[in-house]
Amino acid sequence: MWLTHDGVGLGPLRADLAEAYWRWESSLRVMAGYGRLGAETLSERTAGLDSQLRHSDSQARFTIYHETDGGEWDPVGSSSLALDHRYGTAEFFIYLGEETARGRGIGTTATTLVLDWAFHLAQLRSVYLSVIAENTAGVRAYEKAGFKVIGTRRRSAWWLGRPADEILMDAVPEDYAGPRLVEAAVLGDRL
């Protein structure tokens, strides 16, 4: 695991979790949240994962973990940054696939960890996202993690069969107020 905070951890994308990623991404809640029109087959997802693991120069992909009461780390979701090295920016994506992980602050903490990685390790100047306006829980979680609303793209998405607006948000290093775990890991006692 690369980063942990408040019982939430980030680790690498893992080939042995292909079936879990597929199950999560095939859930109706995740498909609706992303505005996806259909699910992939397990073989399509496995092939996609193989490609993602081989071609990581334009993506930073994470498995999200939650610490159990027994101290074990269970995978509960995934997050990624689609990197644009030319401009020092990235588009942010996240989903919690395990139903038990939702509504507990895990997504907010994971988002904060990804922003810490983005700003203090990847040296990005901006991280941005779009979220379907009806996903009010997602909007609140992103705001808690440090994203700010920068605009609205009208009727550019679908929500449960109806056209929906997308809220555009971004985060920049100057506004980052979360834990500086990357810095602590690199500098250790020199902080």
Side-chain angles (χ1 to χ4, degrees):
M1 198 124 21
W2 293 322
L3 297 174
T4 62
H5 184 69
D6 287 344
V8 177
L10 288 184
L13 207 60
R14 294 176 23 198
D16 64 313
L17 291 176
E19 191 167 336
Y21 300 138
W22 169 75
R23 182 174 43 84
W24 296 337
E25 293 166 7
S26 298
S27 75
L28 293 177
R29 286 188 73 166
V30 171
M31 286 194 298
Y34 275 117
R36 290 182 56 195
L37 302 178
E40 294 179 303
T41 65
L42 177 56
S43 61
E44 288 171 328
R45 182 61 187 110
T46 301
L49 179 61
D50 290 342
S51 176
Q52 290 167 343
L53 291 168
R54 283 192 317 275
H55 303 102
S56 60
D57 58 331
S58 64
Q59 295 277 329
R61 297 184 181 274
F62 309 96
T63 300
I64 300 168
Y65 295 87
H66 182 249
E67 188 175 22
T68 67
D69 292 337
E72 299 292 319
W73 289 91
D74 289 340
V76 297
S78 180
S79 184
S80 65
L81 294 167
L83 303 166
D84 186 336
H85 297 290
R86 182 180 45 193
Y87 296 110
T89 63
E91 185 171 8
F92 175 77
F93 301 94
I94 188 171
Y95 66 82
L96 294 179
E98 294 296 334
E99 194 69 35
T100 57
R102 295 187 184 120
R104 301 176 63 190
I106 295 169
T108 300
T109 302
T111 299
T112 303
L113 294 175
V114 173
L115 288 177
D116 184 26
W117 187 94
F119 296 142
H120 304 120
L121 187 66
Q123 307 299 315
L124 297 177
R125 295 180 11 215
S126 174
V127 176
Y128 60 92
L129 62 85
S130 64
V131 58
I132 297 172
E134 283 78 356
N135 184 356
T136 56
V139 173
R140 280 194 310 273
Y142 297 138
E143 288 175 331
K144 285 182 191 174
F147 281 91
K148 294 184 183 341
V149 173
I150 58 171
T152 301
R153 193 168 31 217
R154 297 177 296 158
R155 300 175 57 87
S156 60
W158 290 95
W159 181 257
L160 302 177
R162 293 181 302 276
D165 294 346
E166 285 181 280
I167 296 174
L168 308 176
M169 304 177 85
D170 75 356
V172 295
E174 297 80 26
D175 294 340
Y176 181 78
R180 297 176 73 94
L181 300 172
V182 169
E183 192 173 279
V186 171
L187 296 178
D189 294 337
R190 294 183 291 166
L191 275 177

mmCIF file of all heavy atoms in Angstrom, residues 78-107:
data_model
loop_
_atom_site.group_PDB
_atom_site.id
_atom_site.type_symbol
_atom_site.label_atom_id
_atom_site.label_comp_id
_atom_site.label_asym_id
_atom_site.label_seq_id
_atom_site.Cartn_x
_atom_site.Cartn_y
_atom_site.Cartn_z
ATOM 1 N N SER A 78 -11.845 1.773 -6.815
ATOM 2 C CA SER A 78 -10.739 2.138 -7.691
ATOM 3 C C SER A 78 -10.779 3.631 -7.989
ATOM 4 O O SER A 78 -11.835 4.262 -7.937
ATOM 5 C CB SER A 78 -10.851 1.353 -9.003
ATOM 6 O OG SER A 78 -9.801 1.676 -9.877
ATOM 7 N N SER A 79 -9.615 4.166 -8.283
ATOM 8 C CA SER A 79 -9.509 5.562 -8.677
ATOM 9 C C SER A 79 -8.407 5.683 -9.718
ATOM 10 O O SER A 79 -7.512 4.835 -9.783
ATOM 11 C CB SER A 79 -9.178 6.437 -7.456
ATOM 12 O OG SER A 79 -9.156 7.798 -7.822
ATOM 13 N N SER A 80 -8.479 6.717 -10.529
ATOM 14 C CA SER A 80 -7.425 6.919 -11.519
ATOM 15 C C SER A 80 -7.296 8.387 -11.886
ATOM 16 O O SER A 80 -8.217 9.183 -11.672
ATOM 17 C CB SER A 80 -7.680 6.089 -12.779
ATOM 18 O OG SER A 80 -8.847 6.520 -13.433
ATOM 19 N N LEU A 81 -6.145 8.696 -12.414
ATOM 20 C CA LEU A 81 -5.852 10.010 -12.980
ATOM 21 C C LEU A 81 -5.438 9.793 -14.430
ATOM 22 O O LEU A 81 -4.497 9.045 -14.698
ATOM 23 C CB LEU A 81 -4.715 10.698 -12.224
ATOM 24 C CG LEU A 81 -4.988 11.093 -10.786
ATOM 25 C CD1 LEU A 81 -3.682 11.460 -10.080
ATOM 26 C CD2 LEU A 81 -5.971 12.250 -10.728
ATOM 27 N N ALA A 82 -6.155 10.413 -15.365
ATOM 28 C CA ALA A 82 -5.763 10.397 -16.773
ATOM 29 C C ALA A 82 -4.829 11.585 -16.958
ATOM 30 O O ALA A 82 -5.262 12.736 -16.965
ATOM 31 C CB ALA A 82 -6.984 10.501 -17.675
ATOM 32 N N LEU A 83 -3.545 11.302 -17.082
ATOM 33 C CA LEU A 83 -2.505 12.331 -17.046
ATOM 34 C C LEU A 83 -2.298 13.002 -18.396
ATOM 35 O O LEU A 83 -2.273 12.338 -19.432
ATOM 36 C CB LEU A 83 -1.184 11.710 -16.595
ATOM 37 C CG LEU A 83 -1.211 10.998 -15.241
ATOM 38 C CD1 LEU A 83 0.028 10.138 -15.069
ATOM 39 C CD2 LEU A 83 -1.337 12.008 -14.121
ATOM 40 N N ASP A 84 -2.137 14.304 -18.366
ATOM 41 C CA ASP A 84 -1.718 15.071 -19.533
ATOM 42 C C ASP A 84 -0.395 15.730 -19.153
ATOM 43 O O ASP A 84 -0.359 16.810 -18.566
ATOM 44 C CB ASP A 84 -2.757 16.123 -19.906
ATOM 45 C CG ASP A 84 -2.423 16.844 -21.200
ATOM 46 O OD1 ASP A 84 -1.223 16.890 -21.580
ATOM 47 O OD2 ASP A 84 -3.346 17.384 -21.833
ATOM 48 N N HIS A 85 0.703 15.023 -19.440
ATOM 49 C CA HIS A 85 2.035 15.481 -19.030
ATOM 50 C C HIS A 85 2.399 16.830 -19.641
ATOM 51 O O HIS A 85 3.114 17.615 -19.031
ATOM 52 C CB HIS A 85 3.086 14.435 -19.403
ATOM 53 C CG HIS A 85 2.908 13.136 -18.700
ATOM 54 N ND1 HIS A 85 3.127 12.972 -17.356
ATOM 55 C CD2 HIS A 85 2.495 11.922 -19.157
ATOM 56 C CE1 HIS A 85 2.884 11.729 -17.007
ATOM 57 N NE2 HIS A 85 2.487 11.078 -18.082
ATOM 58 N N ARG A 86 1.898 17.083 -20.830
ATOM 59 C CA ARG A 86 2.213 18.328 -21.527
ATOM 60 C C ARG A 86 1.787 19.544 -20.714
ATOM 61 O O ARG A 86 2.500 20.541 -20.647
ATOM 62 C CB ARG A 86 1.529 18.307 -22.893
ATOM 63 C CG ARG A 86 1.783 19.489 -23.767
ATOM 64 C CD ARG A 86 1.054 19.341 -25.084
ATOM 65 N NE ARG A 86 -0.315 18.876 -24.817
ATOM 66 C CZ ARG A 86 -1.150 18.412 -25.725
ATOM 67 N NH1 ARG A 86 -0.779 18.341 -26.969
ATOM 68 N NH2 ARG A 86 -2.364 18.029 -25.412
ATOM 69 N N TYR A 87 0.623 19.467 -20.082
ATOM 70 C CA TYR A 87 0.091 20.605 -19.331
ATOM 71 C C TYR A 87 0.171 20.431 -17.817
ATOM 72 O O TYR A 87 -0.195 21.347 -17.073
ATOM 73 C CB TYR A 87 -1.367 20.870 -19.732
ATOM 74 C CG TYR A 87 -1.503 21.280 -21.171
ATOM 75 C CD1 TYR A 87 -2.073 20.429 -22.098
ATOM 76 C CD2 TYR A 87 -1.018 22.506 -21.611
ATOM 77 C CE1 TYR A 87 -2.184 20.802 -23.435
ATOM 78 C CE2 TYR A 87 -1.113 22.881 -22.944
ATOM 79 C CZ TYR A 87 -1.695 22.025 -23.847
ATOM 80 O OH TYR A 87 -1.791 22.395 -25.165
ATOM 81 N N GLY A 88 0.608 19.274 -17.358
ATOM 82 C CA GLY A 88 0.695 19.043 -15.926
ATOM 83 C C GLY A 88 -0.679 18.958 -15.268
ATOM 84 O O GLY A 88 -0.859 19.421 -14.138
ATOM 85 N N THR A 89 -1.638 18.351 -15.974
ATOM 86 C CA THR A 89 -2.998 18.224 -15.460
ATOM 87 C C THR A 89 -3.435 16.766 -15.530
ATOM 88 O O THR A 89 -2.772 15.935 -16.161
ATOM 89 C CB THR A 89 -3.992 19.081 -16.269
ATOM 90 O OG1 THR A 89 -4.029 18.598 -17.620
ATOM 91 C CG2 THR A 89 -3.596 20.551 -16.253
ATOM 92 N N ALA A 90 -4.566 16.480 -14.902
ATOM 93 C CA ALA A 90 -5.120 15.132 -14.976
ATOM 94 C C ALA A 90 -6.610 15.186 -14.709
ATOM 95 O O ALA A 90 -7.087 16.016 -13.934
ATOM 96 C CB ALA A 90 -4.451 14.213 -13.967
ATOM 97 N N GLU A 91 -7.334 14.269 -15.354
ATOM 98 C CA GLU A 91 -8.744 14.096 -15.058
ATOM 99 C C GLU A 91 -8.880 12.988 -14.019
ATOM 100 O O GLU A 91 -8.243 11.942 -14.121
ATOM 101 C CB GLU A 91 -9.535 13.737 -16.314
ATOM 102 C CG GLU A 91 -11.023 13.671 -16.057
ATOM 103 C CD GLU A 91 -11.851 13.525 -17.318
ATOM 104 O OE1 GLU A 91 -11.280 13.314 -18.412
ATOM 105 O OE2 GLU A 91 -13.087 13.631 -17.211
ATOM 106 N N PHE A 92 -9.708 13.233 -13.019
ATOM 107 C CA PHE A 92 -9.877 12.338 -11.876
ATOM 108 C C PHE A 92 -11.122 11.470 -12.036
ATOM 109 O O PHE A 92 -12.174 11.951 -12.462
ATOM 110 C CB PHE A 92 -10.012 13.182 -10.605
ATOM 111 C CG PHE A 92 -10.301 12.392 -9.366
ATOM 112 C CD1 PHE A 92 -9.307 11.675 -8.729
ATOM 113 C CD2 PHE A 92 -11.579 12.378 -8.825
ATOM 114 C CE1 PHE A 92 -9.576 10.949 -7.583
ATOM 115 C CE2 PHE A 92 -11.860 11.656 -7.674
ATOM 116 C CZ PHE A 92 -10.850 10.941 -7.055
ATOM 117 N N PHE A 93 -10.984 10.185 -11.688
ATOM 118 C CA PHE A 93 -12.093 9.240 -11.688
ATOM 119 C C PHE A 93 -12.041 8.426 -10.396
ATOM 120 O O PHE A 93 -10.954 8.120 -9.900
ATOM 121 C CB PHE A 93 -11.990 8.267 -12.867
ATOM 122 C CG PHE A 93 -11.986 8.929 -14.199
ATOM 123 C CD1 PHE A 93 -10.791 9.251 -14.832
ATOM 124 C CD2 PHE A 93 -13.181 9.245 -14.839
ATOM 125 C CE1 PHE A 93 -10.779 9.864 -16.071
ATOM 126 C CE2 PHE A 93 -13.176 9.858 -16.085
ATOM 127 C CZ PHE A 93 -11.975 10.180 -16.698
ATOM 128 N N ILE A 94 -13.205 8.067 -9.889
ATOM 129 C CA ILE A 94 -13.268 7.229 -8.692
ATOM 130 C C ILE A 94 -14.596 6.489 -8.663
ATOM 131 O O ILE A 94 -15.596 6.983 -9.184
ATOM 132 C CB ILE A 94 -13.112 8.074 -7.405
ATOM 133 C CG1 ILE A 94 -12.993 7.175 -6.161
ATOM 134 C CG2 ILE A 94 -14.248 9.077 -7.255
ATOM 135 C CD1 ILE A 94 -12.608 7.922 -4.882
ATOM 136 N N TYR A 95 -14.591 5.320 -8.081
ATOM 137 C CA TYR A 95 -15.829 4.642 -7.724
ATOM 138 C C TYR A 95 -15.559 3.731 -6.535
ATOM 139 O O TYR A 95 -14.454 3.224 -6.366
ATOM 140 C CB TYR A 95 -16.446 3.854 -8.887
ATOM 141 C CG TYR A 95 -15.620 2.669 -9.342
ATOM 142 C CD1 TYR A 95 -15.684 1.448 -8.679
ATOM 143 C CD2 TYR A 95 -14.787 2.771 -10.450
ATOM 144 C CE1 TYR A 95 -14.927 0.368 -9.088
ATOM 145 C CE2 TYR A 95 -14.036 1.694 -10.865
ATOM 146 C CZ TYR A 95 -14.111 0.499 -10.187
ATOM 147 O OH TYR A 95 -13.356 -0.574 -10.597
ATOM 148 N N LEU A 96 -16.558 3.604 -5.703
ATOM 149 C CA LEU A 96 -16.539 2.610 -4.637
ATOM 150 C C LEU A 96 -17.460 1.488 -5.084
ATOM 151 O O LEU A 96 -18.649 1.705 -5.301
ATOM 152 C CB LEU A 96 -17.021 3.210 -3.317
ATOM 153 C CG LEU A 96 -16.117 4.290 -2.738
ATOM 154 C CD1 LEU A 96 -16.699 4.831 -1.440
ATOM 155 C CD2 LEU A 96 -14.703 3.773 -2.514
ATOM 156 N N GLY A 97 -16.901 0.306 -5.255
ATOM 157 C CA GLY A 97 -17.674 -0.808 -5.763
ATOM 158 C C GLY A 97 -18.398 -1.594 -4.693
ATOM 159 O O GLY A 97 -19.459 -2.150 -4.942
ATOM 160 N N GLU A 98 -17.826 -1.639 -3.512
ATOM 161 C CA GLU A 98 -18.459 -2.373 -2.423
ATOM 162 C C GLU A 98 -19.528 -1.490 -1.785
ATOM 163 O O GLU A 98 -19.237 -0.385 -1.322
ATOM 164 C CB GLU A 98 -17.428 -2.807 -1.376
ATOM 165 C CG GLU A 98 -16.432 -3.824 -1.875
ATOM 166 C CD GLU A 98 -17.068 -5.152 -2.260
ATOM 167 O OE1 GLU A 98 -18.143 -5.495 -1.734
ATOM 168 O OE2 GLU A 98 -16.479 -5.858 -3.099
ATOM 169 N N GLU A 99 -20.732 -1.979 -1.765
ATOM 170 C CA GLU A 99 -21.865 -1.229 -1.212
ATOM 171 C C GLU A 99 -21.603 -0.800 0.234
ATOM 172 O O GLU A 99 -21.967 0.303 0.643
ATOM 173 C CB GLU A 99 -23.126 -2.095 -1.295
ATOM 174 C CG GLU A 99 -24.408 -1.344 -1.085
ATOM 175 C CD GLU A 99 -24.744 -0.378 -2.204
ATOM 176 O OE1 GLU A 99 -24.458 -0.669 -3.371
ATOM 177 O OE2 GLU A 99 -25.304 0.690 -1.890
ATOM 178 N N THR A 100 -20.933 -1.647 1.004
ATOM 179 C CA THR A 100 -20.668 -1.347 2.415
ATOM 180 C C THR A 100 -19.676 -0.200 2.595
ATOM 181 O O THR A 100 -19.556 0.347 3.691
ATOM 182 C CB THR A 100 -20.113 -2.588 3.135
ATOM 183 O OG1 THR A 100 -18.928 -3.026 2.460
ATOM 184 C CG2 THR A 100 -21.140 -3.719 3.154
ATOM 185 N N ALA A 101 -18.978 0.186 1.531
ATOM 186 C CA ALA A 101 -18.000 1.271 1.624
ATOM 187 C C ALA A 101 -18.618 2.651 1.392
ATOM 188 O O ALA A 101 -17.997 3.665 1.682
ATOM 189 C CB ALA A 101 -16.874 1.045 0.613
ATOM 190 N N ARG A 102 -19.839 2.677 0.906
ATOM 191 C CA ARG A 102 -20.473 3.959 0.561
ATOM 192 C C ARG A 102 -21.078 4.631 1.790
ATOM 193 O O ARG A 102 -21.562 3.974 2.700
ATOM 194 C CB ARG A 102 -21.543 3.732 -0.496
ATOM 195 C CG ARG A 102 -20.949 3.253 -1.802
ATOM 196 C CD ARG A 102 -21.972 3.198 -2.906
ATOM 197 N NE ARG A 102 -21.356 2.652 -4.102
ATOM 198 C CZ ARG A 102 -21.762 1.558 -4.706
ATOM 199 N NH1 ARG A 102 -22.788 0.893 -4.256
ATOM 200 N NH2 ARG A 102 -21.131 1.139 -5.784
ATOM 201 N N GLY A 103 -21.045 5.966 1.773
ATOM 202 C CA GLY A 103 -21.660 6.741 2.840
ATOM 203 C C GLY A 103 -20.880 6.752 4.136
ATOM 204 O O GLY A 103 -21.408 7.134 5.175
ATOM 205 N N ARG A 104 -19.598 6.387 4.091
ATOM 206 C CA ARG A 104 -18.775 6.299 5.305
ATOM 207 C C ARG A 104 -17.563 7.228 5.252
ATOM 208 O O ARG A 104 -16.697 7.147 6.112
ATOM 209 C CB ARG A 104 -18.321 4.868 5.498
ATOM 210 C CG ARG A 104 -19.497 3.895 5.613
ATOM 211 C CD ARG A 104 -19.072 2.466 5.706
ATOM 212 N NE ARG A 104 -18.291 2.255 6.910
ATOM 213 C CZ ARG A 104 -17.627 1.147 7.159
ATOM 214 N NH1 ARG A 104 -17.649 0.156 6.301
ATOM 215 N NH2 ARG A 104 -16.941 1.003 8.270
ATOM 216 N N GLY A 105 -17.477 8.064 4.229
ATOM 217 C CA GLY A 105 -16.333 8.964 4.102
ATOM 218 C C GLY A 105 -15.125 8.354 3.432
ATOM 219 O O GLY A 105 -14.096 9.017 3.270
ATOM 220 N N ILE A 106 -15.219 7.106 3.011
ATOM 221 C CA ILE A 106 -14.095 6.421 2.377
ATOM 222 C C ILE A 106 -13.749 7.081 1.047
ATOM 223 O O ILE A 106 -12.572 7.299 0.735
ATOM 224 C CB ILE A 106 -14.398 4.914 2.206
ATOM 225 C CG1 ILE A 106 -14.525 4.266 3.590
ATOM 226 C CG2 ILE A 106 -13.348 4.225 1.353
ATOM 227 C CD1 ILE A 106 -15.079 2.851 3.563
ATOM 228 N N GLY A 107 -14.758 7.433 0.257
ATOM 229 C CA GLY A 107 -14.510 8.080 -1.033
ATOM 230 C C GLY A 107 -13.849 9.442 -0.866
ATOM 231 O O GLY A 107 -12.946 9.798 -1.624
#
